[in-house]
Amino acid sequence: MNILVGYASAHGSTRQIAERIAERIRECGAKSDVRTVEEVQSLDGYDAFVLGSAVHNQSWLPAAVDFVQGNAAALADRPVWIFSVGMPAALRGPWKAFADKERPHILAQLDETLRPRDHQLFSGAIAREHLPLSGRLMFRAAGCHFGDFRDWDAIDAWARAVGRQLTARAA
């Protein structure tokens, strides 16, 4: 099986998660290529897809949405898993409730063109320099903290589960 792990990243956190997912899929015996969605010229030769994007304002980045919409027919014919990289682990207090609302909003945006087998929302990394001054002030006022919130064990577990499903299909 040949798998495309395609992603859109704003600051590199999603790229690192995509690379980790591809490594775990390879460990399960499938071949995987990691590319930004802007780099992908053709979906020919891929048996399945794992697609991900950073999440800004509860939405995938425009490049990722454009990729899904522009390749809807090819994606409909093959298995697709998706992952989103937001900041649910950075939220504190009453703002924590917004984390549960992010997943359905993301899926609603993609639902007309994409029917993923699974969707996982991971926390990413956020640094002070990722936000403009107004964003930093709002982020801190909400009680949020800057840092790397990626749960590599959860990412590995999900990627291995995807890898096992893919290799079971090929057997």
Side-chain angles (χ1 to χ4, degrees):
M1 294 218 73
N2 191 19
I3 315 307
L4 171 66
V5 179
Y7 68 92
S9 185
H11 301 289
S13 180
T14 304
R15 175 185 49 81
Q16 292 170 337
I17 290 172
E19 289 169 349
R20 183 78 165 241
I21 289 169
E23 287 174 23
R24 297 304 165 259
I25 288 172
R26 285 184 207 113
E27 289 172 1
C28 293
K31 182 180 180 229
S32 62
D33 295 330
V34 184
R35 302 201 190 299
T36 67
V37 292
E38 294 96 345
E39 291 176 323
V40 177
Q41 299 297 314
S42 171
L43 300 184
D44 293 341
Y46 292 109
D47 302 301
F49 306 94
V50 178
L51 305 174
S53 177
V55 175
H56 290 185
N57 298 319
Q58 295 189 324
S59 297
W60 270 21
L61 296 178
V65 174
D66 291 347
F67 177 84
V68 167
Q69 291 173 346
N71 292 288
L75 295 171
D77 291 342
R78 291 170 257 181
V80 178
W81 287 261
I82 63 173
F83 67 97
S84 301
V85 181
M87 290 313 302
L91 301 174
R92 302 286 185 257
W95 298 101
K96 193 82 167 155
F98 284 105
D100 293 333
K101 295 180 176 155
E102 195 163 49
R103 184 185 318 267
H105 192 273
I106 294 164
L107 288 174
Q109 177 187 32
L110 302 172
D111 197 38
E112 289 182 23
T113 53
L114 192 63
R115 303 263 186 243
R117 294 185 177 225
D118 190 30
H119 173 234
Q120 190 66 43
L121 174 60
F122 298 115
S123 285
I126 187 162
R128 195 174 307 283
E129 60 270 14
H130 293 164
L131 299 174
L133 177 59
S134 60
R136 289 193 302 267
L137 293 172
M138 287 176 45
F139 190 75
R140 294 300 292 159
C144 300
H145 302 285
F146 294 102
D148 187 341
F149 298 95
R150 291 174 289 188
D151 181 343
W152 293 111
D153 290 339
I155 293 164
D156 289 345
W158 185 76
R160 285 184 181 115
V162 171
R164 285 190 298 273
Q165 291 174 53
L166 288 165
T167 54
R169 286 178 49 94

